[in-house]
Amino acid sequence: MRESGIEPRKDVYHHMIVSHSRCGNLERAMTWFHGMKASHELSSVEYSILLSLVAKMGNLRLFTAIINSIEEKNIEKSGYMYATMIRTFSRARRLDLAAEAFEEMKQRKLADTAGYNVFIDAVCTQQTPDFARAKALMTDMEDQGVPPSSTTYGTVIHHLSRRGHGEPAVQMFEEMTKRGLAPTVITYTQVMRALSRGDEPLKAIAYWERMKRQGIKPTAIAYVVGIAAHCRAGELDTAYQILEDQIATSITPLPECFHALMQAEMKRGNMEKTMDLYKRLMESNVRPNMSIFEVMLRMLLRLGEVGEVELLFENMKKFEFSPPKWALIMLFKRLALDAELPRMLRMLDTFIERRIPISAGISHGMKLISFELSQDKEMANEFGQKLQLLQPNPDKPSQNGHRSHRTSRPRQFEIGPDKHMHQAS
């Protein structure tokens, strides 16, 4: 169109900016944005789209430069634009700037339920969540005639759950239901997770049963939380039944379901049942995660099943997992107990390849075979050569030593003389 000398209409520019924004193509979106800017007057809609894109790309300098441009041109900010600002500054750990944007949104009477929810999420997302402030914001919503929604409660419950605050999560849940806001399966899941993480699995089970009585169908994640709660409470028979019920509903179990059961069985010393669960998982269409392999490694190493551990290492590679460092060192020590010198040498090759330095565990393994090495000088020499390669490089500055002069540079958030620039610098 441009090559034909036809200037695109504003809606064409708008469509292209949106299309490239959804594809995450910042460069193309910016090209169309500047073209539109050169031939048309921009509205808050186009700036909102651009802000959202830049926020997703994590370019904070450009993000604030666009805000500066908006303010210089006296373009009226929309509620969506303020929400994007709050969310972006929150992710940058600048709650002060997020709070400033929120207060400005309130002054312009644009703070609706969604706006409050975004700022409440920002308050709870910080490294040290301020749940008292979140509660105060919910009270302020009532005073402003913007009643909290189920999403508002769900946001706070979610963050309480992440930190294992069971009782506060229950209080928020019960307050929500008293207001006539129907809890969803997600809300139930978060409350159960908070109670389970807070070492109150029996209370978590009570909410599981309450959810089932209300006819709310569990999701795959809810099944994980339900099974884990029953495992922590020692009710393994019920946990197994929940897994069978999930399979019967054609909801593919997540590997965490098997992990909770395997860990519970291993703690009870039921190694055979732990192995049966692992085999069942591998025969199903459930892809194992690292936690599954770690449970198996701990069990097999405890039993001294060296060959099975090595087979498990090979199986992990099929799923693009590398054996953890602790498991490699434990296997090295186990091989040392049986004086498996050739296999220990192969282990040292793995340490060299993975750049695993000499540790207390490796040194202990070498002490266990000191007598064997004293009888075989050739073998001792081969071990010595490989161990030399594991020695730290004295010429390389230590990360914690005095030779390291690396300093942290504060992240630059804005450019320009605007007030946002000044506060963030």
Side-chain angles (χ1 to χ4, degrees), residues 193-318:
R193 179 174 286 167
L195 289 168
S196 187
R197 287 179 175 175
D199 293 329
E200 296 183 279
L202 291 175
K203 289 185 178 180
I205 291 172
Y207 276 91
W208 168 266
E209 294 172 351
R210 178 175 168 181
M211 180 183 72
K212 298 285 283 184
R213 286 196 302 270
Q214 292 187 355
I216 298 176
K217 296 181 179 179
T219 60
I221 297 176
Y223 275 113
V224 171
V225 177
I227 290 173
H230 283 83
C231 287
R232 290 186 179 184
E235 299 183 8
L236 263 64
D237 291 340
T238 307
Y240 275 107
Q241 186 56 53
I242 293 173
L243 179 62
E244 297 301 331
D245 293 343
Q246 179 180 5
I247 294 172
T249 58
S250 300
I251 298 177
T252 303
L254 295 173
E256 288 81 2
C257 294
F258 288 91
H259 175 259
L261 286 164
M262 290 170 64
Q263 199 168 35
E265 292 288 13
M266 193 177 76
K267 285 182 178 179
R268 288 188 170 190
N270 296 331
M271 305 305 180
E272 187 174 348
K273 287 188 176 181
T274 305
M275 180 63 75
D276 290 341
L277 284 163
Y278 173 74
K279 290 179 179 178
R280 183 177 180 183
L281 181 147
M282 298 304 292
E283 291 170 358
S284 68
N285 59 347
V286 180
R287 179 183 172 85
N289 58 16
M290 190 63 180
S291 297
I292 295 290
F293 288 116
E294 287 184 341
V295 171
M296 289 300 298
L297 286 170
R298 292 184 190 281
M299 183 189 76
L300 293 172
L301 286 165
R302 187 181 299 175
L303 295 173
E305 297 288 347
V306 173
E308 292 295 328
V309 171
E310 291 178 330
L311 288 175
L312 192 61
F313 282 169
E314 294 301 318
N315 202 21
M316 290 176 68
K317 293 177 182 178
K318 296 177 183 178

Side-chain angles (χ1 to χ4, degrees), residues 2 64 77 94 100 200 216 285 335 355 379 394:
R2 283 175 169 175
T64 312
K77 297 174 187 171
R94 290 304 306 267
E100 179 186 318
E200 296 183 279
I216 298 176
N285 59 347
L335 291 172
R355 297 182 180 180
M379 182 69 74

Side-chain angles (χ1 to χ4, degrees), residues 106 116 136-148 179:
K106 282 182 62 178
Y116 270 97
L137 284 165
M138 294 174 71
T139 303
D140 186 53
M141 291 178 75
E142 294 281 1
D143 297 339
Q144 299 296 326
V146 186
R179 288 178 176 272

Side-chain angles (χ1 to χ4, degrees), residues 109-124:
K109 307 298 182 182
L110 295 173
D112 56 4
T113 304
Y116 270 97
N117 290 347
V118 171
F119 187 57
I120 288 172
D121 181 69
V123 169
C124 296

Side-chain angles (χ1 to χ4, degrees), residues 354-365:
R354 292 272 300 270
R355 297 182 180 180
I356 298 174
I358 293 178
S359 63
I362 296 175
S363 298
H364 181 249

